Amino acid sequence: MQGFRCELPGRISSRGGLLLCGHHDRQLEDRDRTVLLQGIVSTMDLCLMSLSMRRDTERMKLLRFQRAEKAQELEEARRNLRLSESG
């Protein structure tokens, strides 16, 4: 993406003052989702290292399960981002 205006033909959307074609709009959404999921997984990792959490085995099991789900979502988001950046 160059500058503030996309010159590619197709559907145009406005995002935070940027005018983007459909392709670049999806690419930005994929990038945002990837960054968000990276933060969620990192936060869950910190929670899993917490001593107070380790004492509650049921909560730890639940958190591990939820972290695994978010890690899968992150991998899918990364794949989508790679596809949108290459195409």
Side-chain angles (χ1 to χ4, degrees):
M1 267 182 293
Q2 298 278 337
F4 295 99
R5 178 180 220 107
C6 176
E7 299 299 329
L8 292 175
R11 180 179 67 87
I12 301 295
S13 65
S14 177
R15 180 187 287 264
L18 300 175
L19 294 177
L20 303 170
C21 69
H23 170 76
H24 284 129
D25 187 47
R26 281 187 307 280
Q27 187 177 8
L28 195 55
E29 283 179 18
D30 290 341
R31 193 171 296 146
D32 288 348
R33 180 155 177 76
T34 300
V35 170
L36 175 67
L37 286 167
Q38 285 171 334
I40 290 170
V41 170
S42 294
T43 301
M44 290 176 141
D45 287 340
L46 289 173
C47 290
L48 286 168
M49 291 188 285
S50 167
L51 291 176
S52 60
M53 283 290 291
R54 289 182 186 183
R55 293 183 192 122
D56 188 342
T57 57
E58 290 303 311
R59 189 175 288 180
M60 286 292 284
K61 287 178 189 176
L62 177 61
L63 187 56
R64 283 187 187 114
F65 176 77
Q66 290 173 334
R67 191 225 178 262
E69 285 183 326
K70 291 300 175 194
Q72 264 186 315
E73 287 180 43
L74 176 56
E75 288 307 311
E76 183 180 335
R78 285 177 173 157
R79 276 192 301 275
N80 290 340
L81 180 58
R82 280 192 299 272
L83 288 173
S84 68
E85 288 179 339
S86 67

